[in-house]
Amino acid sequence: MNFTHPFLDEDGDDKLHEECGIFGIINGERASSATALGLHALQHRGQEAAGISSWDGTEFFTRRALGHVAENFATEESLAELPGQMAAGHVRYSTTGGAGLRNVQPLYADLASGGFAVAHNGNISNAAALRKDLVNRGAIFQSTSDTEVIIHLVATSRFPTMLEKLVDALRMVEGAYALIVMTPRGMAACRDPLGIRPLVMGKLGDAVVFASETVALDVVGATFERQVEPGELIEVDFDGSVRSHRPFGNPRPRPCIFEHVYFSRPDSIFNQRSVYESRKNIGMELAKESPCEADLVVPVPDSGVPAAIGYAQQSGIPFELGIIRSHYVGRTFIQPSDGARHAGVKRKHNANRAIVEGKRIVLIDDSIVRGTTSMKIVQIMRDAGAAEVHFRVASPPTGHGCYYGVDTPERSKLLAGRMDLAAMREFIGAESLAFVSIDGLYRAVGLKGRDPASPQYCDACFTGEYPTSLTDLAARQLGDAQLTLPVSEDA
């Protein structure tokens, strides 16, 4: 079994990872084929496992597997196991619940009201508390995923209709979710009241399509209709009727700003904005805020490319591909030793010596998490003969954990959680280091700046200001504190 550090991808990077991506289609020919294609476009959102469930008018079918979509849903034989005109799928990284086939979604259950399949993107931040209560009342869980909590809440709801049961269940959860639900009566898609996790709706002929990103609509040939609004629940029946409900009121939305920075594919539209344009704008803000005397602007591929283009355009410093990335480093190539994992950076990123030798380089990356990859890439530039290496980061310092569906180390392992700017610069070994400011990031996505009284995005990983309660975290912290309380001498 290959070992992968929980905060490193299979190539040795220490990027933040979105937990998952979801896709659903109803009233479509070869629904499972469209779902597999849509999931392939969302593969960047989860590369550990994939699953698809379908409904053929009589029964549900589910196929789930570890690995990539193309490894498990690329043949006619595999898709023939998933008949019907309604299907939903899921790609995942493991955060809440951990790895293993039993946690791969969609999750399916036979309820008293009929079959129920759900694909969930996000994280329920009171899942442990809800799970404990459900187990005490006799519930038997088949997985360790927080998504199964939603199924049990629906199953135990006393409301008469499936829609009311689902709303009743969601009123009890806190945190972030985008859901696609299938029942024998049709499909429902909903988004948490703050809209932290993304979800969009499209049309493909007579079919209605839901996906985490617009790029999945593009790939299957669907037209983008609109985003599912924060707190909205959309029902679609087999007769084609579409009904919108707003059961959670209208709180001020707080979508995840890191979708603009890294999570979404650059060819997606998020929150009515081109992700590619947002990333270019971030680079331009960086150049304004943190100029540098240099010969070349070099992106850390691939995620640093749009911001580096923006930095180069704003600064007038030439853009060059000073690092070439290999796209063929597979997880089976990784061995379980530290040396092999660390060598993954060199296998994935190689200096273009003819370009960088003797030059003053501005390296542009989307973020710094633990700092280990940044340190290695700076060293790669030095080994290739770069005269100076200046590092610019297209996000503010990531100093706080995410509890809304992003795979994040505890704060003590985040470089910005334990070091100031000078110490971080010394750690990665660059001549200079600068991050875009939080206001610069907000300007890059079309706003005047961050409103500290009422932020327009969820930016807790940068600011530590969480927009919802964090029940399970508070309970863990209380437990840790109790473990360290002094014992009374009278005890």
Side-chain angles (χ1 to χ4, degrees):
M1 179 177 178
N2 292 334
F3 173 87
T4 302
H5 191 285
F7 309 119
L8 300 179
D9 72 16
E10 67 269 21
D11 305 321
D13 281 348
D14 57 333
K15 296 289 186 185
L16 296 180
H17 289 302
E18 236 284 10
E19 182 183 355
C20 47
I22 57 177
F23 184 95
I25 180 170
I26 180 171
N27 298 324
E29 296 295 329
R30 296 170 56 85
S32 60
S33 296
T35 300
L37 188 59
L39 291 180
H40 192 271
L42 299 173
Q43 187 74 84
H44 59 287
R45 299 184 77 88
Q47 299 181 41
E48 180 184 277
I52 296 176
S53 294
S54 71
W55 165 257
D56 72 348
T58 303
E59 60 180 307
F60 282 91
F61 302 83
T62 298
R63 178 184 172 92
R64 302 181 297 163
L66 301 179
H68 290 181
V69 176
E71 297 170 352
N72 296 293
F73 298 99
T75 66
E76 290 294 331
E77 291 78 13
S78 64
L79 296 172
E81 299 175 12
L82 300 162
Q85 295 186 326
M86 179 173 69
H90 188 273
V91 290
R92 83 184 297 259
Y93 282 108
S94 59
T95 56
T96 298
L101 191 58
R102 65 175 176 162
N103 290 322
V104 180
Q105 298 184 33
L107 297 184
Y108 174 80
D110 283 307
L111 307 184
S113 53
F116 185 92
V118 58
H120 167 215
N121 172 24
N123 199 62
I124 306 304
S125 57
N126 63 337
L130 292 170
R131 184 187 182 101
K132 181 179 180 181
D133 179 64
L134 286 162
V135 170
N136 287 340
R137 290 192 280 137
I140 300 173
F141 281 77
Q142 301 299 314
S143 77
T144 55
S145 168
D146 60 338
T147 308
E148 193 177 357
V149 169
I150 297 172
I151 295 177
H152 283 277
L153 292 175
V154 171
T156 55
S157 173
R158 296 185 179 275
F159 282 85
T161 70
M162 180 55 71
L163 175 67
E164 291 172 309
K165 290 176 184 292
L166 180 58
V167 171
D168 183 39
L170 295 178
R171 288 189 192 282
M172 290 185 254
V173 307
E174 66 183 35
Y177 55 83
L179 298 177
I180 295 175
V181 173
M182 297 193 300
T183 75
R185 285 161 291 282
M187 179 173 283
C190 58
R191 201 170 167 205
D192 63 79
L194 298 181
I196 297 173
R197 300 265 67 86
L199 193 61
V200 296
M201 181 173 71
K203 292 293 294 293
L204 180 61
D206 294 330
V208 177
V209 184
F210 297 99
S212 293
E213 293 185 38
T214 60
V215 67
L217 304 181
D218 298 338
V219 168
V220 302
T223 59
F224 170 53
E225 296 292 301
R226 63 180 180 86
Q227 70 173 0
V228 178
E229 295 298 328
E232 183 181 22
L233 190 156
I234 299 175
E235 283 186 289
V236 185
D237 292 339
F238 290 110
D239 64 5
S241 60
V242 179
R243 295 181 297 279
S244 172
H245 308 274
R246 300 301 296 264
F248 309 112
N250 293 284
R252 188 181 180 94
R254 295 283 298 276
C256 172
I257 201 166
F258 219 91
E259 294 285 345
H260 285 300
V261 174
Y262 177 71
F263 295 145
S264 290
R265 264 180 48 166
D267 46 344
S268 282
I269 304 295
F270 173 67
N271 209 31
Q272 286 83 49
R273 290 189 61 83
S274 160
V275 174
Y276 179 79
E277 290 297 328
S278 290
R279 290 177 187 169
K280 276 185 61 180
N281 290 344
I282 296 172
M284 297 176 77
E285 290 291 334
L286 255 178
K288 295 174 187 175
E289 294 179 348
S290 303
C292 182
E293 290 188 9
D295 303 308
L296 300 176
V297 174
V298 173
V300 178
D302 291 320
S303 55
V305 171
I309 292 172
Y311 193 101
Q313 290 180 354
Q314 179 65 37
S315 66
I317 302 171
F319 171 96
E320 293 286 357
L321 294 179
I323 301 172
I324 305 301
R325 179 189 175 191
S326 169
H327 293 267
Y328 302 99
V329 180
R331 66 179 66 209
T332 57
F333 191 52
I334 303 302
Q335 299 299 317
S337 68
D338 284 343
R341 286 201 307 275
H342 295 164
V345 176
K346 189 66 182 283
R347 287 195 302 272
K348 187 174 181 179
H349 298 107
N350 191 51
N352 189 353
R353 179 181 289 271
I355 295 297
V356 305
E357 189 169 18
K359 301 295 196 305
R360 298 170 299 171
I361 305 299
V362 184
L363 279 176
I364 310 288
D365 205 356
D366 62 272
S367 59
I368 292 180
V369 182
R370 300 195 321 154
T372 51
T373 296
S374 303
M375 175 178 61
K376 293 179 178 70
I377 289 177
V378 169
Q379 189 59 50
I380 287 171
M381 291 288 95
R382 294 205 186 283
D383 292 344
E388 296 177 6
V389 182
H390 302 270
F391 214 105
R392 298 292 180 267
V393 187
S395 62
T398 305
H400 304 270
C402 176
Y403 304 96
Y404 301 123
V406 178
D407 196 3
T408 314
E410 61 259 32
R411 193 175 187 202
S412 64
K413 294 182 179 178
L414 292 166
L415 196 67
R418 58 190 179 91
M419 294 184 183
D420 61 16
L421 186 65
M424 285 191 283
R425 184 206 61 76
E426 184 175 356
F427 179 86
I428 68 171
E431 267 74 21
S432 68
L433 171 66
F435 297 78
V436 73
S437 69
I438 190 71
D439 282 326
L441 177 58
Y442 272 76
R443 287 192 296 269
V445 299
L447 299 169
K448 294 181 179 179
R450 184 180 189 269
D451 180 354
S454 185
Q456 302 94 322
Y457 282 90
C458 178
D459 53 24
C461 55
F462 306 131
T463 64
E465 297 179 19
Y466 297 95
T468 74
S469 299
L470 300 173
T471 297
D472 292 345
L473 176 66
R476 289 197 301 271
Q477 292 175 336
L478 179 61
D480 291 343
Q482 289 175 335
L483 286 174
T484 60
L485 289 175
V487 178
S488 168
E489 291 182 357
D490 297 327

